[in-house]
Amino acid sequence: MSRRWLVGGMAAVAGLAAVGLLGAWWFLLRDVSTPASVSDAVAAYRDEGPGGASSIPPGVYVYATTGSEQTDALRGTTHEYPATSTITVTGAPCGVGLRWDVLEGRSTTWTACVGAGDWIERSRDERHRFYGVTEKTTYTCRNTPFRPAGDPPGTTFTVSCTTGEAREGGPGVVVGRETLDIGGTSVPAVHVRTTTSFSGGTTGSATYDFWLARPTGLPVRITMVSQTTNGSIIGDVHYQERVSLQLTSLEPKR
């Protein structure tokens, strides 16, 4: 996550302080987070439609959710995540799109091209909102498996993604195959982990663990841990996120 918004925000704060507009300063520093609702995700899905064909039945899937995100920008703030969040599955031009919504202004969309048994991550779009300002960061990935062909345990691969200003890279591995209980149904899944570092305009690290249903590829469990740092006019700005998702039902809402 980059922090271009911080430069403009701090310049605005400096200007407001100079003229003594303390009320406006307070308004700028005010940070509110609102949970994303299941009903809004379903309404958006109905408006946008299922897209193209996908190996995963399209629709809105509900996940039990724990975790938070935080930044030390300005006065610092933490967003605790709600008990439920959603992943909306739609078809994409070469495969599938997976959009995770947890807060209004906090989402991640993974787009993967589906080939002969493998999924290749094409892009990852992240949105974050702090102090009323939403920032979009898009990583474009190259030769980065989202799910390696055949998913045999022990398979390794390399993550290579960039925003143009920042680069993300590191190893990935198929940890193994497991059976998970999803709403009383036993679901065979493959566990895929990536451990990456960031360089360039953003520095830091991230570990993502995905448990994908076999053979559809539907995420049935996800854990994400990331810590990043960006420079600003007031010094380094740090961001952290820790989140765990567990699918509650194999039936999507439409």
Side-chain angles (χ1 to χ4, degrees):
M1 177 184 176
S2 64
R3 301 293 180 275
R4 293 185 297 274
W5 59 269
L6 182 65
V7 176
M10 289 307 300
V13 168
L16 293 172
V19 295
L21 299 180
L22 298 181
W25 184 331
W26 175 87
F27 181 79
L28 181 64
L29 294 180
R30 184 170 178 263
D31 181 73
V32 176
S33 62
T34 303
S37 71
V38 176
S39 60
D40 283 350
V42 173
Y45 171 79
R46 291 172 178 171
D47 287 342
E48 297 170 5
S54 167
S55 62
I56 305 175
V60 177
Y61 293 84
V62 179
Y63 292 76
T65 305
T66 58
S68 65
E69 64 172 353
Q70 67 181 61
T71 181
D72 62 2
L74 301 177
R75 63 182 179 180
T77 189
T78 297
H79 297 162
E80 297 291 340
Y81 289 158
T84 59
S85 61
T86 61
I87 289 181
T88 301
V89 176
T90 55
C94 65
V96 63
L98 306 168
R99 176 188 169 109
W100 173 55
D101 288 286
V102 63
L103 301 174
E104 293 183 4
R106 174 66 189 102
S107 66
T108 297
T109 301
W110 296 271
T111 302
C113 293
V114 179
D118 65 350
W119 292 26
I120 301 298
E121 185 173 356
R122 185 175 68 180
S123 65
R124 186 176 77 250
D125 177 284
E126 296 192 2
R127 302 193 183 197
H128 300 260
R129 179 182 298 166
F130 288 103
Y131 306 107
V133 179
T134 301
E135 180 180 294
K136 174 181 175 180
T137 304
T138 300
Y139 289 85
T140 300
C141 301
R142 181 184 178 89
N143 299 325
T144 298
F146 190 85
R147 178 185 180 185
D151 55 51
T155 299
T156 60
F157 57 93
T158 300
V159 176
S160 178
C161 303
T162 180
T163 67
E165 298 177 353
R167 296 175 298 280
E168 180 185 16
V173 63
V174 177
V175 178
R177 295 174 180 172
E178 305 174 29
T179 299
L180 303 180
D181 182 275
I182 305 299
T185 300
S186 296
V187 177
V190 57
H191 178 188
V192 180
R193 173 180 296 153
T194 60
T195 306
T196 60
S197 59
F198 299 87
S199 60
T202 299
T203 58
S205 63
T207 300
Y208 283 11
D209 286 86
F210 280 75
W211 287 258
L212 306 173
R214 306 180 75 237
T216 66
L218 174 67
V220 293
R221 180 186 295 169
I222 302 174
T223 64
M224 298 182 287
V225 179
S226 63
Q227 308 91 23
T228 58
T229 301
N230 292 81
S232 78
I233 60 174
I234 59 167
D236 287 344
V237 176
H238 304 93
Y239 172 85
Q240 295 184 20
E241 180 176 57
R242 289 180 174 270
V243 62
S244 177
L245 310 177
Q246 176 81 25
L247 183 65
T248 60
S249 172
L250 294 170
E251 295 297 324
K253 297 180 181 295
R254 298 180 179 131

